[in-house]
Structure formats: structure tokens, C-alpha cells
Amino acid sequence: MSFFAEISFAAWMSLAALALVVIISCLNEDLNVGFLSIALAIVVGGIWVNLNAARVMNAFPWASL
């Protein structure tokens, strides 16, 4: 159980955001969950990792194309 204590709070929040996106995608098939995922990544990155939105967006693979 000490393994779980070594995971940062930001990592837990990103996993919670992922779980939320999966649950919402199962409940609402009309919603584009890609946009929701990006929005939640910006929120998690901004609040718990102290990154601005531009740095979060640069972490996505398509941003370097």
C-alpha cells in the first residue's frame, strides 16, 4: 500500500478526470468527449500542476504537428 502514497495528488486528480470523462461518455453519446478531456486537462494542469493552458496544450501530441 505504500505505492499509492507515492503518487502525487495531481496524478490522482488526472485519474479522477479520466474516470469522469469515461462515465460521461457512457451516459451521453452525443457529447464530444475529446473536448471535455482537453478542458479537464487544462483544469488539472492549471490548478494542481501550476501550468498555464498553453503549456498543457503543448503536451498533446498533435500540438507539435
Side-chain angles (χ1 to χ4, degrees):
M1 284 310 242
S2 65
F3 171 74
F4 293 115
E6 296 174 8
I7 299 175
S8 69
F9 187 68
W12 284 114
M13 289 298 103
S14 65
L15 288 174
L18 174 65
L20 180 66
V21 167
V22 169
I23 291 169
I24 289 175
S25 71
C26 291
L27 296 176
N28 188 354
E29 295 177 0
D30 296 329
L31 181 67
N32 186 345
V33 293
F35 291 127
L36 180 63
S37 299
I38 292 172
L40 287 176
I42 291 172
V43 169
V44 169
I47 293 175
W48 288 287
V49 187
N50 295 325
L51 294 175
N52 59 13
R55 293 203 51 189
V56 172
M57 295 304 290
N58 285 333
F60 283 96
W62 55 267
S64 62
L65 295 177

